[in-house]
Amino acid sequence: MNRVNAVVVGAGAAGGILAKELAVAGLSVVLLERGKWFTANDCRKDDLRNQRTTVLGNAFGPEDEGNPRVWLDENGSPHIALPSEGAYQNNAACVGGGTLSYGAQAWRYMPQDFRMRSTYGAPVGSSLEDWPISYDDLEPFYEKAEYEIGISGDYGGTPFHGPRRRSLPMPPLPPNREFTILEPAARRLGLHPFPIPMARNSIPYNGRGPCMRCRWCCGFACEVDAKNGSQNTVIPVALNTGNCELRTGCMVKEILTDDRGRALGVSYFDPDGHLQQQLSDLVVVSACAIESARLLLNSKSRLFPQGLGNRYDQVGRNLQGHHYTGAIGYFDFETYDDVGPGASIAISDYNHGTPGLYGGGMLANEFIRLPIHMIDRLPANTPRWGLGHKQAMRAWHKRSIVIIGPTQQIPSENARVTLDPSVKDKWGLPVARLSGNVHPHTFEIGEVQAKRAEAWLKEAGAIHTSVTAGKPQSVSAGQHQAGTCRMGSDPRASVVNRECRLHDVNNVFVIDSSVHVTNGGFNPALTIMAIAYFASQSLVANWKAGGLRS
Amino acid sequence: MGSIETDTLLTRRRFVAAGALGGVAVAIGCHAGKRGFWEFLNEDQARTLAAVCDQIIPADEFPSASQAGVLSYIDRQLVRHYRRHRDAYKRGLEQAQQLSRKRFGQDMTALAQTQQFEIACDLERQNRPFFELVRNHTLEGYYGSPRHGGNRDAQSWRMLGLDEPPIRGRAQYDLTKGSPS
């Protein structure tokens, strides 16, 4: 096949942006994606088979057949996990990646989120660290993401977020009933509620119409294509340049290197299972935290016997996601109005600044409310089955509110992705093995957050509440997975530099949530996108200066 | 394995016409015979499973699990996404029958409601993993989308007071204008 300038592995949040930025700059690009390209017409609104409720499988990949992972329990025993099982920590495998079916909360991290160690110090046993870049470095690229992807919302009600030059391009969606119940209660508590920023059209934008306000949102493709991901924004732009070729159904096997330690391109299995090579001047890995680490670890050669970029055993460490805790409130009046996307109101009062806690997280009301979600969300004294359970479903389905939030995890280098020594996928490649957990202080923060959610619900009039603050026995990586190819200046303690380039290999970049040093107390998608724009800019500048050509 | 699947598929096709009626056969005591209507279950297993499911969701002014088609849901998934649970069902349903014969000297299906409840409690104590499986699958079938064979006529969604046809957002959306109405 013809040599190209750049191969991008993974057509998700970051990979789509890379493809667009490089193609617009004139580079020839091949964008490889192992999954399929779905459209709004593939929105099945199937409550048992989607990307969030997976009892009958994932709607947007990977399939359960032939794509296992292995996880170690707290005793160190290995277990197989299928993609539709929680222990797999799945995101998605399709064009758009997670952004096809995400809930589309589009948060900026706060300035403190980029300097956690400077703000708090590091708890003993943690790998809490500062990013090598600041909020100010990223601010213009957050703005670019907000305008190119399309974000609605209004940060005007919160004093806690970093400075910004421009407001969001679209106003927030009108409030739903939960918003009108929770907003005055938060104010009475002295909090600062505001509408959640969303990658969702509230008005016509980018040639597509606004949200239809249905409750089938998080986990589903958008029926009216009003939800904005890479698949309906930057990837079409990339393809329209004529410089980018998207190849779906292609699973990258390894990054190929020469005897001088430079990448030559990649080898990959095409949709028929035949091994192909795509040579290139540079390789960008954007396969999400678990699969990006796995690809580097699977790219072994004489010069890189431990895998690419892994000279100091850093690839795959610091795996993190978010520790979700919160509370459910039960009311003696109807709180449910069937108006989507459901999640509508948030506070970021509790992300930072609590004495004794190394951080915190945003709290917001929960996304969709489908009957299947309610079966294990009934008041604490409800029988798990029988007539009492059925009656409780009737009593509370339309009279309850969930407040929940992504507690920022305190990373640990022991939470990691390695290669399983025996289990292989359907292409014969060693699969990811997940082990370890985040620092236990995370769970202390989560408990405090859950009590805060409960207090908010009580103030709003809840007659019963129950708190959900577990202590998961493995890392909660999932759709918010991050951290496995840490960005830093010290090659012995990180994998890529601030430009997202491997310390070890001049023409290989990792650009996705893998590079997150810490993961904020917010949904990570917009930060992944901002970093993709940030890294694209230096990559293109470097390319134009001739620094990346072989 | 391939030939068994083919057999049940052929059987399934033959009974497709009886589909809507056949689903309630268990509840009203009219059975299509061994390997009749079901894709995976045999009739004995189906009757026992119906008894267990109807303890998990009993009838009141709204239908029980089996009346709402939960068996169709479970049976259908046992040849699809839940193939991996086939052995658990075979063994678990056999265990339920043994518990019933040991305690009451009769098949579970012949017991009174209160006795069936006791057997369900025994089963939950003695084989928690299987009972949890059936509990979850029953709730999925009852409260999940009718497209998977359970929740016939969206009866559970109506019970919860939700829109019928199901909540799809169109109530708020004028598709001709392409904007919220």
Side-chain angles (χ1 to χ4, degrees), chain A residues 44-47 55-57 64 210-214 216 223 338 371-372 376 384-386 390 393-394 398, chain B residues 56 58 60 62-63 81-82 124 131-132 135 144-145 147-148 159-161 163 167-170 172-173 178:
Chain A
R44 308 294 302 176
K45 297 204 166 180
D46 186 334
D47 58 344
V55 295
L56 297 184
D64 277 357
C211 172
M212 70 193 282
R213 314 297 310 272
C214 83
W216 301 72
E223 183 179 352
D338 195 23
I372 191 67
D376 290 318
R384 300 193 70 246
W385 52 277
K390 188 181 186 184
M393 287 290 290
R394 286 206 287 272
K398 296 175 92 171
Chain B
I56 293 164
D60 51 8
F62 295 94
H81 192 71
Y82 287 151
E124 186 182 29
F131 190 84
E132 278 300 294
R135 182 255 182 199
S145 166
R147 80 179 72 195
H148 298 296
M159 174 180 87
L160 300 178
D163 292 343
I167 34 182
R168 285 178 69 93
R170 293 200 175 101
Q172 296 88 242
Y173 200 75

Tab-separated table of all heavy atoms in Angstrom, chain A residues 44-47 55-57 64 210-214 216 223 338 371-372 376 384-386 390 393-394 398, chain B residues 56 58 60 62-63 81-82 124 131-132 135 144-145 147-148 159-161 163 167-170 172-173 178:
chain	number	residue	atom	x	y	z
A	44	ARG	N	-31.100	2.271	17.966
A	44	ARG	CA	-32.149	1.276	18.121
A	44	ARG	C	-33.025	1.553	19.337
A	44	ARG	O	-34.033	0.903	19.541
A	44	ARG	CB	-31.543	-0.121	18.248
A	44	ARG	CG	-30.557	-0.472	17.156
A	44	ARG	CD	-31.185	-0.583	15.797
A	44	ARG	NE	-32.243	-1.574	15.780
A	44	ARG	CZ	-33.016	-1.821	14.740
A	44	ARG	NH1	-32.847	-1.130	13.645
A	44	ARG	NH2	-33.953	-2.729	14.790
A	45	LYS	N	-32.593	2.447	20.200
A	45	LYS	CA	-33.322	2.706	21.444
A	45	LYS	C	-33.666	1.393	22.148
A	45	LYS	O	-34.810	1.152	22.547
A	45	LYS	CB	-34.557	3.562	21.180
A	45	LYS	CG	-34.142	4.926	20.633
A	45	LYS	CD	-35.156	6.023	20.876
A	45	LYS	CE	-34.506	7.371	20.607
A	45	LYS	NZ	-35.343	8.508	20.793
A	46	ASP	N	-32.672	0.546	22.251
A	46	ASP	CA	-32.838	-0.766	22.868
A	46	ASP	C	-32.329	-0.672	24.308
A	46	ASP	O	-31.132	-0.511	24.543
A	46	ASP	CB	-32.039	-1.800	22.073
A	46	ASP	CG	-32.270	-3.213	22.565
A	46	ASP	OD1	-32.620	-3.384	23.756
A	46	ASP	OD2	-32.088	-4.150	21.768
A	47	ASP	N	-33.255	-0.772	25.254
A	47	ASP	CA	-32.881	-0.518	26.653
A	47	ASP	C	-32.023	-1.626	27.253
A	47	ASP	O	-31.417	-1.434	28.305
A	47	ASP	CB	-34.133	-0.298	27.518
A	47	ASP	CG	-35.090	-1.466	27.465
A	47	ASP	OD1	-34.968	-2.310	26.557
A	47	ASP	OD2	-35.981	-1.545	28.338
A	55	VAL	N	-26.895	-5.713	29.288
A	55	VAL	CA	-27.255	-7.074	29.693
A	55	VAL	C	-27.379	-7.989	28.475
A	55	VAL	O	-27.142	-9.191	28.573
A	55	VAL	CB	-28.539	-7.122	30.550
A	55	VAL	CG1	-28.331	-6.404	31.872
A	55	VAL	CG2	-29.738	-6.543	29.818
A	56	LEU	N	-27.733	-7.441	27.314
A	56	LEU	CA	-27.780	-8.262	26.095
A	56	LEU	C	-26.665	-7.872	25.120
A	56	LEU	O	-26.746	-8.122	23.930
A	56	LEU	CB	-29.150	-8.154	25.420
A	56	LEU	CG	-30.335	-8.669	26.245
A	56	LEU	CD1	-31.625	-8.590	25.433
A	56	LEU	CD2	-30.103	-10.098	26.723
A	57	GLY	N	-25.617	-7.246	25.625
A	57	GLY	CA	-24.460	-6.943	24.794
A	57	GLY	C	-24.288	-5.457	24.533
A	57	GLY	O	-25.138	-4.639	24.856
A	64	ASP	N	-18.949	-9.483	22.104
A	64	ASP	CA	-18.491	-10.393	23.152
A	64	ASP	C	-17.599	-11.503	22.589
A	64	ASP	O	-16.704	-11.994	23.261
A	64	ASP	CB	-19.691	-11.018	23.887
A	64	ASP	CG	-20.215	-10.089	24.979
A	64	ASP	OD1	-19.614	-9.018	25.185
A	64	ASP	OD2	-21.223	-10.430	25.626
A	210	PRO	N	-31.650	20.619	16.541
A	210	PRO	CA	-31.480	20.536	17.989
A	210	PRO	C	-31.999	19.229	18.588
A	210	PRO	O	-32.714	18.469	17.942
A	210	PRO	CB	-32.308	21.716	18.494
A	210	PRO	CG	-33.402	21.843	17.486
A	210	PRO	CD	-32.820	21.424	16.163
A	211	CYS	N	-31.656	19.035	19.845
A	211	CYS	CA	-32.061	17.875	20.645
A	211	CYS	C	-33.580	17.755	20.690
A	211	CYS	O	-34.294	18.752	20.818
A	211	CYS	CB	-31.511	18.065	22.059
A	211	CYS	SG	-32.074	16.866	23.268
A	212	MET	N	-34.090	16.521	20.597
A	212	MET	CA	-35.545	16.304	20.639
A	212	MET	C	-36.039	16.061	22.059
A	212	MET	O	-37.211	15.821	22.271
A	212	MET	CB	-35.926	15.132	19.740
A	212	MET	CG	-35.479	13.778	20.258
A	212	MET	SD	-35.612	12.466	19.022
A	212	MET	CE	-37.340	12.130	19.049
A	213	ARG	N	-35.153	16.139	23.036
A	213	ARG	CA	-35.494	15.990	24.456
A	213	ARG	C	-36.037	14.607	24.800
A	213	ARG	O	-36.923	14.483	25.648
A	213	ARG	CB	-36.495	17.055	24.907
A	213	ARG	CG	-36.199	18.476	24.466
A	213	ARG	CD	-34.915	19.059	25.009
A	213	ARG	NE	-34.704	18.943	26.438
A	213	ARG	CZ	-35.125	19.810	27.351
A	213	ARG	NH1	-35.820	20.836	26.988
A	213	ARG	NH2	-34.839	19.637	28.626
A	214	CYS	N	-35.547	13.556	24.176
A	214	CYS	CA	-35.978	12.218	24.563
A	214	CYS	C	-35.133	11.729	25.728
A	214	CYS	O	-34.119	12.310	26.064
A	214	CYS	CB	-35.916	11.243	23.384
A	214	CYS	SG	-34.295	10.524	23.063
A	216	TRP	N	-33.691	8.763	25.830
A	216	TRP	CA	-32.823	7.667	25.388
A	216	TRP	C	-31.540	8.293	24.878
A	216	TRP	O	-31.390	8.500	23.687
A	216	TRP	CB	-33.512	6.853	24.292
A	216	TRP	CG	-34.800	6.257	24.707
A	216	TRP	CD1	-35.970	6.893	24.934
A	216	TRP	CD2	-35.055	4.872	24.961
A	216	TRP	NE1	-36.931	5.999	25.311
A	216	TRP	CE2	-36.404	4.749	25.328
A	216	TRP	CE3	-34.265	3.703	24.896
A	216	TRP	CZ2	-36.991	3.521	25.647
A	216	TRP	CZ3	-34.849	2.490	25.204
A	216	TRP	CH2	-36.197	2.397	25.584
A	223	GLU	N	-31.024	9.693	17.753
A	223	GLU	CA	-31.950	9.443	16.647
A	223	GLU	C	-32.021	10.619	15.669
A	223	GLU	O	-32.209	10.429	14.469
A	223	GLU	CB	-33.336	9.156	17.233
A	223	GLU	CG	-34.382	8.808	16.204
A	223	GLU	CD	-35.731	8.508	16.838
A	223	GLU	OE1	-35.814	8.419	18.067
A	223	GLU	OE2	-36.696	8.362	16.082
A	338	ASP	N	-40.238	12.874	31.764
A	338	ASP	CA	-39.936	12.263	30.472
A	338	ASP	C	-39.287	13.242	29.503
A	338	ASP	O	-39.406	13.115	28.297
A	338	ASP	CB	-41.214	11.669	29.846
A	338	ASP	CG	-40.895	10.727	28.693
A	338	ASP	OD1	-39.761	10.210	28.660
A	338	ASP	OD2	-41.765	10.522	27.832
A	371	PRO	N	-37.114	1.960	32.910
A	371	PRO	CA	-37.538	1.036	33.969
A	371	PRO	C	-36.453	0.046	34.385
A	371	PRO	O	-36.300	-0.254	35.573
A	371	PRO	CB	-38.730	0.320	33.317
A	371	PRO	CG	-39.307	1.350	32.400
A	371	PRO	CD	-38.128	2.094	31.850
A	372	ILE	N	-35.659	-0.414	33.431
A	372	ILE	CA	-34.633	-1.404	33.768
A	372	ILE	C	-33.593	-0.830	34.731
A	372	ILE	O	-32.967	-1.550	35.500
A	372	ILE	CB	-33.972	-1.935	32.472
A	372	ILE	CG1	-33.093	-3.157	32.750
A	372	ILE	CG2	-33.162	-0.862	31.765
A	372	ILE	CD1	-33.857	-4.364	33.179
A	376	ASP	N	-32.759	-1.958	40.665
A	376	ASP	CA	-31.861	-2.022	41.828
A	376	ASP	C	-31.636	-0.650	42.455
A	376	ASP	O	-30.629	-0.405	43.115
A	376	ASP	CB	-30.525	-2.657	41.427
A	376	ASP	CG	-30.673	-4.140	41.136
A	376	ASP	OD1	-31.393	-4.812	41.903
A	376	ASP	OD2	-30.102	-4.621	40.146
A	384	ARG	N	-35.817	-7.661	47.365
A	384	ARG	CA	-35.163	-7.703	46.049
A	384	ARG	C	-36.048	-8.370	45.002
A	384	ARG	O	-35.763	-8.333	43.822
A	384	ARG	CB	-33.810	-8.408	46.135
A	384	ARG	CG	-32.861	-7.694	47.094
A	384	ARG	CD	-31.440	-8.170	46.953
A	384	ARG	NE	-30.879	-7.743	45.696
A	384	ARG	CZ	-30.534	-8.556	44.720
A	384	ARG	NH1	-30.695	-9.852	44.861
A	384	ARG	NH2	-30.027	-8.088	43.614
A	385	TRP	N	-37.107	-9.066	45.442
A	385	TRP	CA	-38.035	-9.695	44.496
A	385	TRP	C	-39.353	-9.904	45.217
A	385	TRP	O	-39.454	-9.698	46.413
A	385	TRP	CB	-37.458	-11.018	43.977
A	385	TRP	CG	-37.004	-11.995	45.033
A	385	TRP	CD1	-35.802	-12.004	45.680
A	385	TRP	CD2	-37.754	-13.100	45.565
A	385	TRP	NE1	-35.736	-13.033	46.579
A	385	TRP	CE2	-36.924	-13.742	46.527
A	385	TRP	CE3	-39.024	-13.627	45.315
A	385	TRP	CZ2	-37.341	-14.869	47.238
A	385	TRP	CZ3	-39.426	-14.756	46.031
A	385	TRP	CH2	-38.576	-15.356	46.980
A	386	GLY	N	-40.350	-10.300	44.451
A	386	GLY	CA	-41.663	-10.529	45.048
A	386	GLY	C	-42.562	-9.317	44.905
A	386	GLY	O	-42.207	-8.306	44.292
A	390	LYS	N	-42.308	-5.310	43.206
A	390	LYS	CA	-43.178	-4.821	42.128
A	390	LYS	C	-43.910	-3.547	42.561
A	390	LYS	O	-44.017	-2.573	41.800
A	390	LYS	CB	-44.180	-5.924	41.783
A	390	LYS	CG	-45.042	-5.676	40.560
A	390	LYS	CD	-45.994	-6.854	40.372
A	390	LYS	CE	-46.785	-6.759	39.087
A	390	LYS	NZ	-47.765	-7.859	38.969
A	393	MET	N	-41.550	-0.609	42.559
A	393	MET	CA	-41.325	-0.083	41.200
A	393	MET	C	-42.426	0.909	40.840
A	393	MET	O	-42.164	1.991	40.304
A	393	MET	CB	-41.297	-1.228	40.185
A	393	MET	CG	-40.053	-2.084	40.210
A	393	MET	SD	-38.560	-1.261	39.605
A	393	MET	CE	-38.883	-1.116	37.844
A	394	ARG	N	-43.664	0.515	41.130
A	394	ARG	CA	-44.801	1.401	40.832
A	394	ARG	C	-44.736	2.689	41.649
A	394	ARG	O	-45.040	3.767	41.171
A	394	ARG	CB	-46.113	0.687	41.155
A	394	ARG	CG	-46.505	-0.383	40.182
A	394	ARG	CD	-48.014	-0.574	40.175
A	394	ARG	NE	-48.561	-1.235	41.352
A	394	ARG	CZ	-48.676	-2.551	41.496
A	394	ARG	NH1	-48.239	-3.361	40.555
A	394	ARG	NH2	-49.208	-3.069	42.581
A	398	LYS	N	-41.493	7.121	39.092
A	398	LYS	CA	-41.670	8.514	38.662
A	398	LYS	C	-41.540	9.503	39.810
A	398	LYS	O	-41.856	10.674	39.656
A	398	LYS	CB	-43.045	8.678	37.983
A	398	LYS	CG	-43.161	7.858	36.703
A	398	LYS	CD	-44.550	7.937	36.118
A	398	LYS	CE	-44.658	9.066	35.115
A	398	LYS	NZ	-45.938	9.023	34.388
B	56	ILE	N	-40.942	-14.237	41.688
B	56	ILE	CA	-40.133	-13.012	41.604
B	56	ILE	C	-41.030	-11.823	41.239
B	56	ILE	O	-40.910	-10.746	41.807
B	56	ILE	CB	-38.983	-13.219	40.601
B	56	ILE	CG1	-38.009	-14.258	41.176
B	56	ILE	CG2	-38.262	-11.910	40.294
B	56	ILE	CD1	-37.058	-14.856	40.189
B	58	PRO	N	-45.008	-11.670	41.104
B	58	PRO	CA	-46.340	-12.286	41.166
B	58	PRO	C	-47.393	-11.402	40.486
B	58	PRO	O	-47.171	-10.212	40.269
B	58	PRO	CB	-46.620	-12.362	42.679
B	58	PRO	CG	-45.373	-11.913	43.368
B	58	PRO	CD	-44.587	-11.113	42.392
B	60	ASP	N	-50.721	-9.249	40.438
B	60	ASP	CA	-51.689	-8.517	41.272
B	60	ASP	C	-52.655	-7.900	40.274
B	60	ASP	O	-53.090	-8.622	39.379
B	60	ASP	CB	-51.000	-7.513	42.224
B	60	ASP	CG	-50.014	-6.592	41.529
B	60	ASP	OD1	-49.949	-6.611	40.282
B	60	ASP	OD2	-49.321	-5.829	42.216
B	62	PHE	N	-51.791	-6.221	38.018
B	62	PHE	CA	-50.998	-6.272	36.795
B	62	PHE	C	-50.417	-7.674	36.650
B	62	PHE	O	-50.285	-8.403	37.624
B	62	PHE	CB	-49.894	-5.211	36.843
B	62	PHE	CG	-50.433	-3.810	36.859
B	62	PHE	CD1	-50.624	-3.149	38.073
B	62	PHE	CD2	-50.781	-3.170	35.679
B	62	PHE	CE1	-51.142	-1.864	38.100
B	62	PHE	CE2	-51.301	-1.884	35.705
B	62	PHE	CZ	-51.485	-1.229	36.913
B	63	PRO	N	-50.047	-8.048	35.421
B	63	PRO	CA	-49.687	-9.446	35.162
B	63	PRO	C	-48.442	-9.916	35.914
B	63	PRO	O	-47.601	-9.107	36.317
B	63	PRO	CB	-49.448	-9.483	33.646
B	63	PRO	CG	-49.380	-8.076	33.199
B	63	PRO	CD	-50.060	-7.236	34.205
B	81	HIS	N	-27.920	-14.377	23.539
B	81	HIS	CA	-26.859	-13.776	24.345
B	81	HIS	C	-26.546	-14.566	25.612
B	81	HIS	O	-25.439	-14.472	26.141
B	81	HIS	CB	-27.249	-12.337	24.699
B	81	HIS	CG	-26.114	-11.555	25.285
B	81	HIS	ND1	-25.031	-11.139	24.519
B	81	HIS	CD2	-25.858	-11.139	26.545
B	81	HIS	CE1	-24.185	-10.499	25.292
B	81	HIS	NE2	-24.647	-10.475	26.520
B	82	TYR	N	-27.512	-15.316	26.125
B	82	TYR	CA	-27.283	-16.039	27.382
B	82	TYR	C	-26.990	-17.521	27.171
B	82	TYR	O	-27.221	-18.341	28.070
B	82	TYR	CB	-28.485	-15.867	28.312
B	82	TYR	CG	-28.593	-14.477	28.918
B	82	TYR	CD1	-29.838	-13.936	29.261
B	82	TYR	CD2	-27.466	-13.709	29.163
B	82	TYR	CE1	-29.950	-12.664	29.816
B	82	TYR	CE2	-27.562	-12.443	29.702
B	82	TYR	CZ	-28.803	-11.929	30.037
B	82	TYR	OH	-28.902	-10.671	30.592
B	124	GLU	N	-33.084	-19.616	46.777
B	124	GLU	CA	-32.233	-18.437	46.952
B	124	GLU	C	-31.128	-18.711	47.984
B	124	GLU	O	-29.988	-18.298	47.817
B	124	GLU	CB	-33.075	-17.231	47.397
B	124	GLU	CG	-32.267	-15.939	47.454
B	124	GLU	CD	-33.090	-14.754	47.945
B	124	GLU	OE1	-34.045	-14.966	48.722
B	124	GLU	OE2	-32.773	-13.617	47.547
B	131	PHE	N	-30.275	-18.312	41.569
B	131	PHE	CA	-31.459	-17.514	41.872
B	131	PHE	C	-31.266	-16.058	41.426
B	131	PHE	O	-32.181	-15.439	40.880
B	131	PHE	CB	-31.808	-17.575	43.363
B	131	PHE	CG	-33.143	-16.971	43.661
B	131	PHE	CD1	-34.307	-17.716	43.522
B	131	PHE	CD2	-33.259	-15.644	44.043
B	131	PHE	CE1	-35.554	-17.150	43.753
B	131	PHE	CE2	-34.499	-15.065	44.284
B	131	PHE	CZ	-35.647	-15.824	44.144
B	132	GLU	N	-30.065	-15.524	41.653
B	132	GLU	CA	-29.775	-14.154	41.221
B	132	GLU	C	-29.899	-14.020	39.701
B	132	GLU	O	-30.404	-13.026	39.180
B	132	GLU	CB	-28.359	-13.753	41.645
B	132	GLU	CG	-28.268	-13.290	43.076
B	132	GLU	CD	-29.135	-12.070	43.334
B	132	GLU	OE1	-28.846	-10.996	42.782
B	132	GLU	OE2	-30.125	-12.196	44.078
B	135	ARG	N	-33.523	-14.086	38.901
B	135	ARG	CA	-34.101	-12.832	39.375
B	135	ARG	C	-33.793	-11.703	38.383
B	135	ARG	O	-34.696	-10.963	37.966
B	135	ARG	CB	-33.515	-12.520	40.768
B	135	ARG	CG	-34.032	-11.258	41.441
B	135	ARG	CD	-33.013	-10.146	41.392
B	135	ARG	NE	-33.475	-8.939	42.064
B	135	ARG	CZ	-32.948	-7.740	41.859
B	135	ARG	NH1	-31.945	-7.589	41.027
B	135	ARG	NH2	-33.416	-6.686	42.483
B	144	GLY	N	-37.978	-4.743	30.576
B	144	GLY	CA	-37.244	-4.367	29.373
B	144	GLY	C	-38.163	-4.188	28.178
B	144	GLY	O	-39.383	-4.363	28.257
B	145	SER	N	-37.554	-3.855	27.067
B	145	SER	CA	-38.332	-3.598	25.855
B	145	SER	C	-39.061	-4.851	25.372
B	145	SER	O	-38.494	-5.940	25.394
B	145	SER	CB	-37.387	-3.102	24.756
B	145	SER	OG	-38.042	-3.149	23.519
B	147	ARG	N	-39.417	-5.813	22.544
B	147	ARG	CA	-38.783	-6.373	21.347
B	147	ARG	C	-38.034	-7.665	21.654
B	147	ARG	O	-37.763	-8.444	20.762
B	147	ARG	CB	-37.827	-5.356	20.730
B	147	ARG	CG	-36.487	-5.275	21.417
B	147	ARG	CD	-35.574	-4.262	20.758
B	147	ARG	NE	-36.007	-2.914	21.029
B	147	ARG	CZ	-35.578	-1.854	20.353
B	147	ARG	NH1	-34.739	-2.009	19.364
B	147	ARG	NH2	-35.990	-0.644	20.672
B	148	HIS	N	-37.697	-7.888	22.915
B	148	HIS	CA	-36.925	-9.086	23.262
B	148	HIS	C	-37.806	-10.236	23.733
B	148	HIS	O	-37.294	-11.244	24.213
B	148	HIS	CB	-35.876	-8.755	24.322
B	148	HIS	CG	-34.882	-7.741	23.847
B	148	HIS	ND1	-34.016	-7.987	22.805
B	148	HIS	CD2	-34.643	-6.466	24.241
B	148	HIS	CE1	-33.276	-6.907	22.587
B	148	HIS	NE2	-33.639	-5.977	23.435
B	159	MET	N	-47.878	-0.053	33.544
B	159	MET	CA	-48.049	-0.134	34.995
B	159	MET	C	-47.326	1.022	35.691
B	159	MET	O	-47.798	1.559	36.693
B	159	MET	CB	-47.495	-1.480	35.503
B	159	MET	CG	-47.494	-1.625	37.008
B	159	MET	SD	-46.830	-3.222	37.555
B	159	MET	CE	-45.083	-2.874	37.653
B	160	LEU	N	-46.158	1.395	35.159
B	160	LEU	CA	-45.376	2.473	35.764
B	160	LEU	C	-45.898	3.852	35.366
B	160	LEU	O	-45.370	4.868	35.810
B	160	LEU	CB	-43.904	2.342	35.364
B	160	LEU	CG	-43.206	1.041	35.777
B	160	LEU	CD1	-41.763	1.021	35.281
B	160	LEU	CD2	-43.239	0.856	37.288
B	161	GLY	N	-46.902	3.866	34.505
B	161	GLY	CA	-47.476	5.150	34.108
B	161	GLY	C	-46.712	5.833	32.994
B	161	GLY	O	-46.780	7.050	32.838
B	163	ASP	N	-45.573	6.507	28.958
B	163	ASP	CA	-46.274	6.653	27.686
B	163	ASP	C	-46.287	5.344	26.918
B	163	ASP	O	-45.355	4.577	26.950
B	163	ASP	CB	-45.594	7.722	26.816
B	163	ASP	CG	-45.750	9.096	27.402
B	163	ASP	OD1	-46.625	9.252	28.269
B	163	ASP	OD2	-44.997	9.984	27.000
B	167	ILE	N	-41.829	5.673	25.534
B	167	ILE	CA	-41.116	6.932	25.585
B	167	ILE	C	-40.049	7.015	24.518
B	167	ILE	O	-39.011	6.421	24.612
B	167	ILE	CB	-40.460	7.042	26.971
B	167	ILE	CG1	-40.024	5.642	27.462
B	167	ILE	CG2	-41.408	7.679	27.947
B	167	ILE	CD1	-39.408	5.652	28.848
B	168	ARG	N	-40.294	7.782	23.510
B	168	ARG	CA	-39.279	7.961	22.471
B	168	ARG	C	-39.029	9.427	22.195
B	168	ARG	O	-38.385	9.781	21.234
B	168	ARG	CB	-39.705	7.241	21.196
B	168	ARG	CG	-39.534	5.754	21.298
B	168	ARG	CD	-39.997	5.066	20.038
B	168	ARG	NE	-39.119	5.344	18.916
B	168	ARG	CZ	-38.105	4.569	18.573
B	168	ARG	NH1	-37.838	3.486	19.259
B	168	ARG	NH2	-37.356	4.862	17.540
B	169	GLY	N	-39.571	10.280	23.048
B	169	GLY	CA	-39.222	11.683	22.906
B	169	GLY	C	-40.045	12.426	21.872
B	169	GLY	O	-40.077	13.637	21.851
B	170	ARG	N	-40.739	11.688	21.023
B	170	ARG	CA	-41.423	12.390	19.938
B	170	ARG	C	-42.558	13.257	20.456
B	170	ARG	O	-43.007	14.154	19.775
B	170	ARG	CB	-41.949	11.391	18.911
B	170	ARG	CG	-40.823	10.698	18.172
B	170	ARG	CD	-41.299	10.104	16.864
B	170	ARG	NE	-40.182	9.547	16.120
B	170	ARG	CZ	-39.896	8.262	16.073
B	170	ARG	NH1	-40.642	7.401	16.727
B	170	ARG	NH2	-38.868	7.824	15.390
B	172	GLN	N	-42.336	15.447	22.512
B	172	GLN	CA	-41.861	16.830	22.642
B	172	GLN	C	-41.323	17.375	21.335
B	172	GLN	O	-40.746	18.446	21.304
B	172	GLN	CB	-40.733	16.931	23.674
B	172	GLN	CG	-41.108	16.599	25.087
B	172	GLN	CD	-40.957	15.127	25.346
B	172	GLN	OE1	-41.909	14.452	25.657
B	172	GLN	NE2	-39.761	14.616	25.209
B	173	TYR	N	-41.409	16.613	20.276
B	173	TYR	CA	-40.633	16.969	19.091
B	173	TYR	C	-41.516	17.024	17.868
B	173	TYR	O	-42.273	16.117	17.587
B	173	TYR	CB	-39.553	15.907	18.893
B	173	TYR	CG	-38.388	16.360	18.037
B	173	TYR	CD1	-37.432	17.226	18.553
B	173	TYR	CD2	-38.236	15.913	16.740
B	173	TYR	CE1	-36.352	17.629	17.794
B	173	TYR	CE2	-37.156	16.309	15.973
B	173	TYR	CZ	-36.213	17.165	16.507
B	173	TYR	OH	-35.144	17.550	15.746
B	178	GLY	N	-38.436	19.878	12.703
B	178	GLY	CA	-37.083	19.569	13.150
B	178	GLY	C	-36.689	20.330	14.394
B	178	GLY	O	-35.539	20.700	14.581
